[in-house]
Amino acid sequence: MADTIYTPPEVWQYDKESGGRFAAINRPTAGAREQKDLPVGEHPLQLYSLGTPNGVKATIMLEELLELGHAGAEYDAWLVNISEGQQFTSGFVDANPNSKIPTMVDHSGDKPFRIFESGAILVHLAEKFGAFLPSDPAARAEVFSWLFWQVGTGPFIGGGFGHFYAYAPEKIEYAIDRYSMETKRIFDVADKRLAETRFLAGDEYTIADIANYPWLAPFIYGGIYNDARKFLSIHEYTHVERWVREISDRPGVKRGRIVNKTWGEEDSQLAERHSASDFDGKNV
């Protein structure tokens, strides 16, 4: 326990930075902080993102669609450096008032329109191209259930466990215990499900898998939140590991995982993607 006990004021006010990795950009208000338009490339779909677990959902989906032969899924992926606050430019806020990546603008019709939030992007693309989302009502409901399960659990993993275990300015036992417990519970839910079925929504690969994979896979490979794999005993979740390794072998996933990624080995990062040839020389 901390030496001092924090007593919340009657009315909270923002009067200092909270500390931690993202303290310099965190604010209690929304809106643009800089006037700057978004770049626009030549393809029908314009993606503005970063290779985080949420951002990778969109790039995996796009690369999977291209792997199926959907030429209309060609896209430009522009890098948005959230550590530098690029998500607060006027152009980005117009595309996503919540100032979070990923966000997309669809230019394929007469009038461009925005799609923000990763789950919404996956649904939009699945419906647009008729892929990775079944038409049968029961099967469709199962996909949506596992898709939005991820949308709901992601904040516990990232903003909860990841923040307090790896990014917070001090280690708070209660917070780390609380979110470690929840993250392990989430893995256990997935592990029990994947003991029964090949993929999360059944025998077919769907947007439910595309949504969940970028959040669960880094724990299997040990590439997220320092030594979180060991700390959380991720090796216990053998069915999740089987599922992660199968999905990791898909060509579209191999490409999508490195788009808008600017860290790690040089051949496993691609800051921006504007053509299939951008992957030449990369580890895909």
Side-chain angles (χ1 to χ4, degrees), residues 260-274:
N260 294 144
K261 186 169 177 275
T262 58
W263 56 90
E265 299 295 327
E266 186 175 350
D267 65 353
S268 67
Q269 54 177 283
L270 184 63
E272 292 189 352
R273 186 270 191 209
H274 302 288

Side-chain angles (χ1 to χ4, degrees), residues 17-47:
E17 290 187 354
S18 58
R21 181 171 174 178
F22 298 101
I25 61 170
N26 288 340
R27 299 288 185 276
T29 55
R33 302 176 190 173
E34 175 188 358
Q35 293 297 311
K36 186 177 182 180
D37 294 335
L38 288 176
V40 179
E42 64 179 33
H43 296 306
L45 301 172
Q46 299 294 303
L47 182 71

Side-chain angles (χ1 to χ4, degrees), residues 6 10 18 22 32 36 55 77 84 90 100 109 120 150 157 177 179 206 208 229 236 239 278:
Y6 171 65
E10 185 175 350
S18 58
F22 298 101
K36 186 177 182 180
E84 295 180 0
S90 57
K100 302 288 184 181
Q150 189 287 312
I157 296 175
D177 284 350
Y179 289 111
T206 70
R229 173 180 166 82
E236 298 173 346
H239 302 292
D278 291 337

Side-chain angles (χ1 to χ4, degrees), residues 20-223:
R21 181 171 174 178
F22 298 101
I25 61 170
N26 288 340
R27 299 288 185 276
T29 55
R33 302 176 190 173
E34 175 188 358
Q35 293 297 311
K36 186 177 182 180
D37 294 335
L38 288 176
V40 179
E42 64 179 33
H43 296 306
L45 301 172
Q46 299 294 303
L47 182 71
Y48 306 93
S49 192
L50 183 68
T52 66
N54 278 334
V56 166
K57 296 178 199 175
T59 50
I60 286 177
M61 180 64 172
L62 288 161
E63 292 297 334
E64 289 278 31
L65 290 168
L66 291 170
E67 188 70 18
L68 286 180
H70 292 287
E74 272 293 348
Y75 69 105
D76 292 276
W78 303 93
L79 182 68
V80 179
N81 190 324
I82 60 174
S83 295
E84 295 180 0
Q86 293 177 354
Q87 68 274 37
F88 299 111
T89 65
S90 57
F92 194 94
V93 173
D94 285 344
N96 185 349
N98 196 37
S99 293
K100 302 288 184 181
I101 60 93
T103 195
M104 175 181 285
V105 180
D106 188 331
H107 292 261
S108 61
D110 294 336
K111 184 178 180 180
F113 59 91
R114 70 188 187 187
I115 314 100
F116 61 91
E117 293 297 326
S118 56
I121 291 172
L122 292 180
V123 173
H124 171 68
L125 293 173
E127 293 183 336
K128 182 181 181 72
F129 294 101
F132 307 118
L133 180 62
S135 57
D136 174 75
R140 191 179 181 89
E142 189 72 12
V143 171
F144 282 143
S145 294
W146 287 105
L147 169 65
F148 290 104
W149 176 75
Q150 189 287 312
V151 171
T153 59
F156 287 97
I157 296 175
F161 172 77
H163 177 78
F164 286 106
Y165 182 70
Y167 301 149
E170 60 183 291
K171 303 301 183 186
I172 303 171
E173 182 180 4
Y174 173 81
I176 292 173
D177 284 350
R178 169 71 178 88
Y179 289 111
S180 295
M181 184 186 309
E182 182 62 9
T183 300
K184 285 183 68 66
R185 191 193 69 81
I186 289 165
F187 266 83
D188 200 40
V189 171
D191 201 63
K192 285 181 167 60
R193 172 60 175 171
L194 291 167
E196 303 170 342
T197 57
R198 181 180 176 188
F199 297 107
L200 283 169
D203 293 331
E204 300 297 324
Y205 176 73
T206 70
I207 55 174
D209 302 291
I210 294 173
N212 281 276
Y213 170 84
W215 277 103
L216 303 185
F219 286 89
I220 296 296
Y221 293 123

